[in-house]
């Protein structure tokens, strides 16, 4: 544990120095989202409303909690307070993982620096902390999944392998209550749905690859610019590619549904719950119209959770993801300008990173499909941990 603490401290000091730009890494300043966008939202949210005139507000209402959180540290500037809170969330994830297994904690300790300063310049690490806590603490799994989903939607996918009806019920009830509270307290809580619908194809996504190649060879005459909060392709073929991406997401959902209906899941098997959550988020990440670098925070957090189990079946997948994480820091921020210009070095980096993500996703799907043909479903009694047939009380 001492070695782990020392490694965490050393890597986080280095990461803080890079985030505060005491050490300047190649590429642009990744904290602009915090210093400009988040801080601007902070001023609006403090008035009791959502930033409805800003199309870059594309988050569920719980995101307001993350944006307002730096106000808890009034003795620091907004940016400094935000980064300190990210550090605290990082420490919480490390502690949660270390309690379950050092291998998982070590994975997280090394994965976060591979993401780079972006890990501390977006609020995704807060959501990752909630997701990790939800998976590792079954008694409060439902409410925490709901909180995570209200923060940034994707934690709802943690339900993919859950059979316990009480978890589903508590997730739905808590989520509905939170949404109701936001709707009553602050107008425009669901405006993000419209802004998300109108997004295009972001330059780092899987769907962007044919456009990069076409542009590099002079076959495409559109433009690349900041649109809806990210750098996107605008012009010929973009609408078709975006539609295809949404279609792939629907196919991914269909695959998960088929798996869920066919698999003989052991309801209390945490391996299935962890593996299904990891696989589901991988599927919806690679098929998204946007693959922002901070999405890797979600993936490495869930990969680490899988590694808390000594008999984890996802070890190989987590290693592939770790390599993809390293390439993600290269593509953003190091060579992001080259990607925006569709230069060949940028194209190669995106091809490699996205190919690794696809490889990890396919490998995870194969593991999940093969491993879920298990014995009839049983359910652990929440009070005693005794396994029972689903719906049948445990013998006392």
């Amino acid at each position: 544990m001492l070695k782990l603490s020392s490694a965490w401290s050393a890597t986080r000091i280095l990461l803080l120095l890079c985030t505060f730009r005491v050490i300047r890494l190649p590429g642009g300043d990744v904290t602009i989202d915090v210093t400009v966008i988040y801080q601007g939202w902070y001023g609006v949210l403090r008035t009791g409303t959502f930033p409805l005139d800003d199309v870059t507000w594309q988050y569920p209402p719980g995101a307001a909690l993350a944006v307002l959180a730096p106000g808890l540290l009034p003795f620091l500037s907004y940016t400094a307070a935000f980064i300190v809170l990210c550090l605290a969330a990082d420490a919480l994830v490390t502690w949660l993982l270390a309690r379950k297994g050092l291998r998982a904690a070590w994975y997280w300790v090394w994965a976060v620096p591979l993401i780079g300063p972006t890990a501390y310049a977006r609020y995704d690490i807060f959501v990752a902390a909630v997701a990790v806590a939800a998976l590792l603490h079954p008694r409060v799994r439902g409410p925490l999944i709901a909180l995570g989903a209200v923060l940034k939607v994707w934690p709802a996918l943690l339900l993919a392998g859950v059979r316990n009806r009480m978890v589903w019920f508590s997730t739905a009830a808590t989520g509905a209550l939170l949404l109701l509270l936001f709707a009553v307290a602050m107008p425009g809580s669901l405006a993000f749905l419209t802004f998300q619908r109108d997004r295009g194809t972001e330059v780092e996504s899987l769907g962007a690859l044919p456009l990069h190649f076409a542009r590099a060879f002079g076959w495409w005459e559109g433009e690349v610019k900041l649109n809806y909060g990210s750098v996107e392709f605008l012009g010929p073929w973009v609408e078709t590619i975006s539609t295809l991406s949404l279609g792939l997401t629907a196919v991914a959902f269909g695959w998960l549904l088929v798996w869920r209906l066919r698999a003989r899941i052991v309801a209390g098997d945490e391996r299935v719950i962890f593996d299904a959550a990891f696989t589901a988020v991988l599927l919806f990440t690679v098929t998204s119209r946007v693959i922002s670098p901070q999405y890797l925070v979600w993936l490495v957090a869930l990969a680490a959770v899988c590694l808390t189990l000594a008999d984890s079946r996802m070890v190989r997948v987590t290693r592939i993801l770790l390599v993809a994480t390293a390439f993600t820091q290269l593509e953003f921020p190091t060579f992001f300008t080259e990607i925006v210009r569709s230069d060949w070095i940028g194209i190669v980096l995106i091809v490699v990173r996205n190919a690794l993500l696809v490889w990890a996703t396919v490998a995870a799907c194969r593991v999940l499909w093969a491993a879920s043909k298990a014995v009839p479903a049983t359910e652990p009694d929440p009070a005693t941990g005794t396994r029972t047939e689903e719906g049948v009380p445990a013998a006392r």
Side-chain angles (χ1 to χ4, degrees):
M1 186 65 76
L2 180 60
K3 289 183 179 180
L4 179 71
S5 300
S6 299
W8 185 88
S9 299
T11 54
R12 273 41 181 187
I13 289 172
L14 181 61
L15 190 55
L16 286 172
L17 291 174
C18 294
T19 306
F20 282 113
R21 293 180 68 78
V22 176
I23 298 175
R24 292 181 176 267
L25 297 176
D29 181 5
V30 301
T31 64
I32 288 177
D33 276 37
V34 180
T35 58
V36 177
I37 298 176
Y38 288 6
Q39 191 162 0
W41 291 341
Y42 177 78
V44 175
L45 290 166
R46 290 184 66 190
T47 67
T49 186
F50 289 94
L52 304 180
D53 296 327
D54 186 350
V55 295
T56 62
W57 176 260
Q58 298 172 11
Y59 307 106
L65 301 176
V67 174
L68 290 169
L72 299 172
L73 304 175
F75 48 88
L76 294 175
S77 68
Y78 182 88
T79 300
F82 185 90
I83 293 171
V84 167
L85 290 174
C86 286
L87 178 69
D90 180 7
L92 175 61
V93 173
T94 307
W95 178 73
L96 289 170
L97 292 169
R99 293 179 68 230
K100 297 294 183 178
L102 288 179
R103 178 176 65 169
W106 275 110
Y107 184 90
W108 174 258
V109 164
W110 294 119
V112 172
L114 285 179
I115 297 170
T118 304
Y120 284 0
R122 307 291 188 273
Y123 83 87
D124 297 81
I125 201 164
F126 301 155
V127 189
V130 174
V132 169
L135 288 174
L136 296 182
H137 292 83
R139 292 177 183 273
V140 289
R141 182 168 288 160
L144 287 178
I145 289 176
L147 174 60
V150 173
L151 282 168
K152 205 165 187 180
V153 180
W154 68 264
L157 295 170
L158 304 185
L159 291 168
V162 174
R163 289 181 61 95
N164 188 311
R165 293 187 182 92
M166 283 304 301
V167 173
W168 280 84
F169 175 79
S170 60
T171 300
T174 305
L177 177 60
L178 289 172
L179 290 175
L180 177 62
L181 290 174
F182 276 110
V184 170
M186 301 174 70
S189 60
L190 298 180
F192 76 99
L193 294 172
T194 301
F195 298 154
Q196 278 285 354
R197 181 192 63 199
D198 296 332
R199 294 195 76 159
T201 298
E202 193 257 349
V203 295
E204 298 162 276
S205 67
L206 195 63
L209 293 179
L211 295 172
H212 277 300
F213 280 105
R215 188 179 180 211
F217 285 110
W219 300 337
W220 187 75
E221 298 180 353
E223 59 181 342
V224 177
K225 69 178 186 179
L226 187 65
N227 186 57
Y228 286 96
S230 64
V231 181
E232 299 179 352
F233 283 101
L234 300 173
W237 312 345
V238 173
E239 185 175 352
T240 300
I241 289 174
S242 295
T243 301
L244 287 173
S245 294
L246 291 173
L248 282 175
T249 300
V251 171
F253 179 80
W255 184 89
L256 279 172
L257 183 60
V258 171
W259 165 79
R260 174 81 188 213
L261 293 173
R262 291 173 59 92
R264 299 175 63 193
I265 305 172
V266 178
D269 186 352
E270 295 293 275
R271 288 190 305 172
V272 173
I273 294 173
F274 295 175
D275 292 353
F278 182 37
T279 304
V281 177
L282 272 169
L283 278 167
F284 282 84
T285 297
V286 299
T287 60
S288 173
R289 292 171 293 172
V290 180
I291 305 182
S292 297
Q294 61 266 27
Y295 291 10
L296 274 293
V297 176
W298 319 345
L299 295 174
V300 297
L302 298 183
V305 169
C306 291
L307 293 177
T308 60
L309 301 174
D311 57 349
S312 173
R313 298 171 292 229
M314 289 290 181
V315 173
R316 177 168 167 264
V317 182
T318 64
R319 291 171 180 169
I320 298 170
L321 179 63
L322 205 59
V323 179
T325 303
F327 274 94
T328 295
Q329 184 173 179
L330 286 175
E331 60 93 354
F332 184 88
T334 308
F335 290 101
F336 190 65
T337 299
E338 286 75 9
I339 290 170
V340 172
R341 295 198 304 243
S342 296
D343 291 346
W344 282 107
I345 186 172
I347 293 174
V348 169
L349 283 172
I350 285 294
V351 167
V352 173
R353 196 283 302 271
N354 287 354
L356 287 165
L357 287 178
V358 171
W359 182 15
T361 303
V362 172
C365 288
R366 293 181 64 183
V367 168
L368 186 65
W369 187 272
S372 299
K373 299 171 184 177
V375 298
T378 61
E379 188 71 22
D381 182 272
T384 65
T386 304
R387 290 192 183 279
T388 65
E389 293 297 324
E390 186 174 0
V392 180
R396 297 291 181 182

